[in-house]
Coordinates of all heavy atoms in Angstrom, one line a residue:
Q12 N 2.5 -0.8 -20.3 CA 3.5 0.2 -20.6 C 4.7 -0.5 -21.3 O 5.2 -1.5 -20.7 CB 4.0 0.9 -19.3 CG 2.9 1.7 -18.6 CD 3.4 2.3 -17.3 OE1 4.3 1.8 -16.6 NE2 2.8 3.4 -16.9
G13 N 5.0 0.0 -22.4 CA 6.2 -0.5 -23.1 C 6.2 -2.0 -23.5 O 7.2 -2.7 -23.4
G14 N 5.0 -2.5 -23.8 CA 4.9 -3.9 -24.1 C 4.8 -4.9 -22.9 O 4.8 -6.1 -23.1
L15 N 4.8 -4.3 -21.7 CA 4.8 -5.2 -20.5 C 3.5 -4.8 -19.7 O 3.0 -3.6 -19.8 CB 6.0 -5.0 -19.6 CG 7.3 -5.5 -20.2 CD1 8.5 -5.0 -19.3 CD2 7.3 -7.0 -20.3
M16 N 3.0 -5.7 -18.9 CA 1.9 -5.4 -18.0 C 2.4 -5.1 -16.6 O 2.9 -6.0 -15.9 CB 0.9 -6.5 -18.0 CG -0.5 -6.1 -17.4 SD -1.3 -4.9 -18.3 CE -1.8 -5.8 -19.8
H17 N 2.4 -3.8 -16.2 CA 2.9 -3.4 -14.9 C 1.8 -3.5 -13.9 O 0.6 -3.3 -14.2 CB 3.4 -2.0 -15.0 CG 4.7 -1.9 -15.8 ND1 5.9 -1.7 -15.3 CD2 4.8 -1.9 -17.2 CE1 6.8 -1.7 -16.3 NE2 6.2 -1.7 -17.4
V18 N 2.2 -3.8 -12.7 CA 1.3 -3.9 -11.5 C 1.8 -2.8 -10.5 O 3.0 -2.7 -10.2 CB 1.4 -5.3 -10.9 CG1 0.4 -5.4 -9.7 CG2 1.1 -6.4 -11.9
K19 N 0.8 -2.1 -10.0 CA 1.1 -1.1 -9.0 C 0.1 -1.3 -7.9 O -1.1 -1.3 -8.2 CB 1.0 0.3 -9.5 CG 2.1 0.6 -10.6 CD 2.0 2.1 -11.1 CE 3.1 2.4 -12.1 NZ 3.1 3.8 -12.6
S20 N 0.5 -1.5 -6.7 CA -0.4 -1.8 -5.6 C -0.1 -0.9 -4.4 O 1.0 -0.4 -4.2 CB -0.2 -3.2 -5.1 OG -0.5 -4.2 -6.1
M21 N -1.1 -0.6 -3.6 CA -1.0 0.2 -2.4 C -1.7 -0.5 -1.3 O -2.8 -1.0 -1.5 CB -1.6 1.6 -2.6 CG -0.8 2.5 -3.6 SD -1.3 4.2 -3.6 CE -0.1 4.9 -4.8
E22 N -1.1 -0.4 -0.1 CA -1.7 -1.0 1.1 C -1.7 0.0 2.2 O -0.6 0.6 2.5 CB -0.8 -2.2 1.4 CG -1.4 -3.1 2.5 CD -0.5 -4.3 2.7 OE1 0.6 -4.2 3.2 OE2 -0.9 -5.4 2.3
R23 N -2.8 0.2 2.8 CA -3.0 1.1 4.0 C -3.5 0.3 5.2 O -4.5 -0.3 5.1 CB -4.0 2.2 3.7 CG -3.4 3.4 3.1 CD -4.6 4.4 2.9 NE -4.1 5.7 2.8 CZ -4.9 6.8 2.6 NH1 -6.2 6.6 2.4 NH2 -4.5 8.0 2.5
L24 N -2.7 0.2 6.2 CA -3.0 -0.6 7.4 C -3.0 0.3 8.6 O -2.0 1.0 8.9 CB -2.1 -1.7 7.6 CG -2.1 -2.8 6.4 CD1 -0.9 -3.8 6.6 CD2 -3.4 -3.5 6.3
R25 N -4.1 0.4 9.4 CA -4.2 1.2 10.6 C -4.6 0.3 11.8 O -5.5 -0.5 11.7 CB -5.2 2.3 10.4 CG -4.8 3.3 9.3 CD -5.8 4.5 9.4 NE -5.6 5.5 8.3 CZ -6.1 5.4 7.1 NH1 -6.8 4.4 6.8 NH2 -5.8 6.4 6.2
D26 N -3.9 0.5 12.9 CA -4.2 -0.2 14.1 C -4.1 0.9 15.2 O -3.0 0.9 15.9 CB -3.3 -1.4 14.4 CG -3.6 -2.2 15.6 OD1 -4.5 -1.7 16.3 OD2 -3.0 -3.2 15.9
P27 N -5.1 1.7 15.4 CA -5.0 2.8 16.4 C -4.7 2.3 17.8 O -3.9 3.0 18.5 CB -6.4 3.5 16.3 CG -6.9 3.1 15.0 CD -6.4 1.7 14.7
G28 N -5.2 1.2 18.2 CA -4.9 0.6 19.5 C -3.5 0.4 19.8 O -3.0 0.6 20.9
N29 N -2.7 0.0 18.8 CA -1.3 -0.2 18.9 C -0.4 0.9 18.3 O 0.8 0.7 18.2 CB -0.9 -1.6 18.3 CG -1.5 -2.7 19.1 OD1 -1.3 -2.8 20.3 ND2 -2.2 -3.6 18.4
G30 N -1.1 2.0 17.9 CA -0.3 3.1 17.3 C 0.3 2.8 16.0 O 1.4 3.3 15.6
I31 N -0.3 1.9 15.2 CA 0.3 1.5 13.9 C -0.4 2.2 12.7 O -1.7 2.1 12.7 CB 0.2 0.0 13.7 CG1 1.1 -0.7 14.8 CG2 0.7 -0.5 12.3 CD1 1.0 -2.2 14.8
Q32 N 0.3 2.8 11.9 CA -0.2 3.3 10.6 C 0.8 3.1 9.5 O 1.8 3.7 9.5 CB -0.6 4.8 10.8 CG -1.2 5.4 9.5 CD -1.8 6.8 9.7 OE1 -2.3 7.0 10.8 NE2 -1.7 7.6 8.7
Q33 N 0.5 2.2 8.6 CA 1.4 1.8 7.6 C 0.9 2.1 6.2 O -0.3 1.8 5.9 CB 1.7 0.3 7.7 CG 2.7 -0.3 6.7 CD 2.8 -1.8 6.7 OE1 2.2 -2.4 7.5 NE2 3.5 -2.3 5.8
F34 N 1.7 2.6 5.4 CA 1.4 2.9 4.0 C 2.5 2.3 3.1 O 3.6 2.7 3.2 CB 1.3 4.4 3.7 CG 0.9 4.7 2.3 CD1 -0.4 4.7 1.9 CD2 1.9 5.0 1.4 CE1 -0.8 5.0 0.6 CE2 1.5 5.3 0.0 CZ 0.2 5.3 -0.3
S35 N 2.1 1.3 2.3 CA 3.2 0.6 1.5 C 2.8 0.6 0.1 O 1.6 0.6 -0.3 CB 3.3 -0.9 2.0 OG 3.7 -1.0 3.3

């Protein structure tokens, strides 16, 4: 985009045992 190489990342982490659900 616009002469640059952009990076877009997504991270989904779930740990039901510890009640963790993370979306970054």
Side-chain angles (χ1 to χ4, degrees):
Q12 295 176 333
L15 294 172
M16 193 63 70
H17 292 256
V18 184
K19 297 181 179 181
S20 302
M21 289 190 181
E22 189 174 70
R23 270 180 158 179
L24 299 171
R25 296 185 181 90
D26 184 355
N29 293 306
I31 294 173
Q32 182 167 326
Q33 178 190 358
F34 181 84
S35 301

